[in-house]
Amino acid sequence: MKPTLRVENLAEVFQAHQAELVRLAAFILGDRGSGEDVVQDVFVRMHQRGHPMDGDMLPYLRAAVVNSCRSALRRRLLIRRHADNHSPCPPLTAEEAAMLSEDRRQVLSALAALPPRRREVLVLRYYLELSEAEIAGMLGISPGTVKSTAARGLAALARALKEKS
Amino acid sequence: MTSQDEITRTAERLKDALGAAAGVMMAGDSPVRTRGSGTGDGHDLLEFGPQPARGRPRPQPSLRRLRPLTAAASVVVIALVAAGVSYLTGNTGGPAISPASLGPVPRMNSAPDPAVLRSPGYLAARSRVVKIIGSAPSCGKVIEGSGFVYAPQRVMTTAHVVAGVTRSVPPAKAAGPAVTTSGGETFRTRVVFYDPQIDIAVLNVPGLNLAPLRFSTQVNLGDNAAVAGYPENRSFTGVAARITQVQRAEGPDIYQSSQVERQIYKIRAVVQEGNSGGPLLSPSGTVDGVVLAAAVGVPSPTGFALTSAEIQADATAGATATAPVSTQRCT
């Protein structure tokens, strides 16, 4: 359903997709500031490399953002970040979280508590609404692995939500 | 144990929560700038510029310029504040929209002045505000809202008040919602214009002989106004309001199928279910905007109205339309 844009200008690409990419990164990382950094870095790298801008850039951009999120998560294991997110509902700020229903907040907190790989697959599947095959292609894993990871992720989410309610 | 049903339900809840969260997260965090403020008399003059391309997803918010009354313009950095919004028909839990607010304007925030409810202009305008009730059999809903006469035999309301509606209530052989005046007279209608993006619909009401309300051409921040309509299935009810901000709000269309930007007023007023589609009336009885939603989870009662500038194109298109159009599906 999302429009695919064929544009040749990096600034236009940035304008068109930045918001979605920041949200994607924020959901995977569980915090908005890091999500913005990741997306910024992706665009800066593209700019420096003079990446050829032909065709639909969106799949490439999404994959680049997901990859950068992984690097960021790895770094995070080495450098214990100080708690930069006081929201009970990552990656939203407390004000934003207050605007969501309790039910939705619980779902988002449970998502943020999942292991990164499961969270990543669930975000790609249920935020970007990519197919299992598309996710497999993006992450370089088999469709079967996508399916089982998503299923385990959802089961873990369901359990976590049941405990809360 | 976790059943398959539960997994499916969890997937739906996750999709819903991610969509809603994306809705309250503002596009990028680069501050949007505009000019405004600093007029010294407590009022900013809003000038209606040319209509931008409407109804299409616009990734970068661009704010219509706010010009101060005096030359002493200062740059205001717009705080990207998100607010949840609940849609105001009787039975729909509509989409959340996330306004990019103009930041705090404390002097604009004083309580609404009930004197507006005694102004002659407002009193004369009341009779042109109507109640709308329709039935949407495809989803088993009866939807109530408000509307107002804005052209001969044409009533404007919000699209989500008539979404999916194909029958009147009470049952009559009508294929559109019923319109009831403050005097209790009921009319058959047909929806002749339907814009689910901006969230506006226009009803053709043959036989309705009420003089149209006019749209305001100038609105000052801080102005008194009144929210007029039929909240909570009551008879005509007007409450005092104050226009506190004008914002470009990014949010989903009524079907949540794309992101839309709308120019809206943030108002301080008690806005309830059923107010949706009713006019925000100025003390002189002109239409400042169309009541769209109420904020949820905020300390003081807050509502939102589409600005009259935002709905001009729809108003023009609907004023001459005569052919019934589809109200698509329920929200």
Side-chain angles (χ1 to χ4, degrees):
Chain A
M1 295 295 275
K2 298 220 164 99
T4 54
L5 295 179
R6 291 181 182 279
V7 281
E8 300 193 337
N9 175 310
L10 184 61
E12 277 178 40
V13 176
F14 184 78
Q15 286 214 338
H17 299 306
Q18 186 215 20
E20 182 208 277
L21 295 171
V22 166
R23 287 165 188 162
L24 169 66
F27 284 137
I28 292 176
L29 293 171
D31 109 72
R32 181 99 122 261
S34 311
E36 282 162 7
D37 291 349
V38 159
V39 173
Q40 193 74 30
D41 288 349
V42 165
F43 277 101
V44 167
R45 281 204 305 276
M46 280 177 70
H47 180 66
Q48 284 165 347
R49 284 184 203 157
H51 197 282
M53 301 280 171
D54 47 348
D56 178 17
M57 294 301 299
L58 192 53
Y60 171 85
L61 283 170
R62 286 171 168 173
V65 166
V66 171
N67 274 326
S68 299
C69 286
R70 289 185 172 179
S71 311
L73 286 168
R74 274 198 298 275
R75 278 200 306 277
R76 212 180 270 186
L77 292 178
L78 299 171
I79 312 159
R80 199 94 187 134
R81 287 174 71 108
H82 62 282
D84 56 353
N85 196 337
H86 300 289
S87 169
C89 179
L92 303 182
T93 64
E95 290 78 15
E96 287 166 347
M99 302 307 170
L100 294 181
S101 66
E102 178 59 24
D103 181 69
R104 285 168 171 167
R105 284 202 296 270
Q106 282 183 2
V107 174
L108 292 172
S109 321
L111 176 72
L114 291 181
R117 174 53 76 92
R118 286 182 185 172
R119 191 164 66 230
E120 189 177 274
V121 168
L122 289 181
V123 169
L124 293 172
R125 186 82 185 84
Y126 295 105
Y127 171 57
L128 292 188
E129 300 186 29
L130 298 181
S131 69
E132 282 165 3
E134 285 171 315
I135 297 170
M138 179 187 282
L139 302 181
I141 55 180
S142 74
T145 307
V146 174
K147 202 183 177 76
S148 60
T149 308
R152 288 198 199 101
L154 283 178
L157 213 52
R159 279 195 302 277
L161 291 169
K162 207 154 39 172
E163 278 165 25
K164 273 191 183 152
S165 58
Chain B
M1 281 298 96
T2 320
S3 71
Q4 188 54 46
D5 272 3
E6 227 170 327
I7 296 289
T8 312
R9 212 163 46 241
T10 306
E12 280 161 11
R13 286 175 69 184
L14 176 60
K15 205 162 156 175
D16 164 76
L18 286 170
V24 298
M25 288 162 72
M26 276 308 301
D29 269 358
S30 43
V32 184
R33 283 161 191 274
T34 188
R35 297 192 174 275
S37 185
T39 63
D41 65 355
H43 290 264
D44 283 355
L45 174 65
L46 174 68
E47 284 193 353
F48 297 133
Q51 287 289 306
R54 308 168 42 262
R56 243 164 279 133
R58 270 167 277 163
Q60 283 295 61
S62 69
L63 280 128
R64 200 165 286 148
R65 282 162 67 93
L66 280 173
R67 292 215 189 115
L69 288 166
T70 68
S74 61
V75 173
V76 176
V77 177
I78 300 197
L80 297 172
V81 179
V85 171
S86 70
Y87 269 52
L88 296 173
T89 53
N91 355 33
T92 55
I97 63 176
S98 52
S101 91
L102 281 172
V105 190
R107 61 174 183 264
M108 305 298 180
N109 286 343
S110 52
D113 182 355
V116 66
L117 300 177
R118 295 189 297 272
S119 72
Y122 163 79
L123 291 173
R126 288 179 306 175
S127 64
R128 273 73 72 71
V129 181
V130 299
K131 180 175 188 165
I132 296 169
I133 307 186
S135 163
S138 64
C139 57
K141 280 182 184 171
V142 169
I143 310 174
E144 288 173 13
S146 304
F148 57 97
V149 185
Y150 83 99
Q153 307 189 344
R154 293 292 184 286
V155 165
M156 178 175 272
T157 183
T158 52
H160 67 271
V161 164
V162 297
V165 168
T166 56
R167 282 189 208 143
S168 62
V169 172
K173 284 184 184 168
V179 153
T180 304
T181 64
S182 56
E185 211 179 344
T186 296
F187 293 87
R188 294 179 183 184
T189 76
R190 287 305 295 267
V191 177
V192 291
F193 182 85
Y194 187 74
D195 178 356
Q197 301 264 302
I198 298 296
D199 198 353
I200 285 291
V202 175
L203 316 182
N204 182 13
V205 194
L208 183 69
N209 287 320
L210 292 172
L213 292 173
R214 293 203 188 154
F215 288 102
S216 310
T217 51
Q218 181 183 311
V219 175
N220 297 316
L221 292 184
D223 271 1
N224 286 304
V227 168
Y230 297 81
E232 310 276 355
N233 204 16
R234 294 201 298 269
S235 55
F236 177 89
T237 305
V239 298
R242 189 177 297 283
I243 298 174
T244 57
Q245 288 171 20
V246 58
Q247 341 176 295
R248 290 221 65 94
E250 191 200 358
D253 63 46
I254 71 168
Y255 295 120
Q256 314 215 22
S257 60
S258 66
Q259 289 291 110
V260 193
E261 250 188 75
R262 304 173 175 98
Q263 189 190 45
I264 58 174
Y265 291 125
K266 189 172 173 187
I267 54 177
R268 200 166 152 184
V270 180
V271 175
Q272 296 176 289
E273 290 190 350
N275 272 128
S276 193
L280 179 67
L281 291 172
S282 72
S284 62
T286 57
V287 178
D288 287 342
V290 175
V291 177
L292 185 67
V296 289
V298 292
S300 66
T302 302
F304 296 96
L306 290 164
T307 66
S308 57
E310 182 67 64
I311 58 195
Q312 277 317 301
D314 283 357
T316 306
T320 52
T322 49
V325 296
S326 166
T327 51
Q328 304 181 18
R329 56 198 160 80
C330 295
T331 54

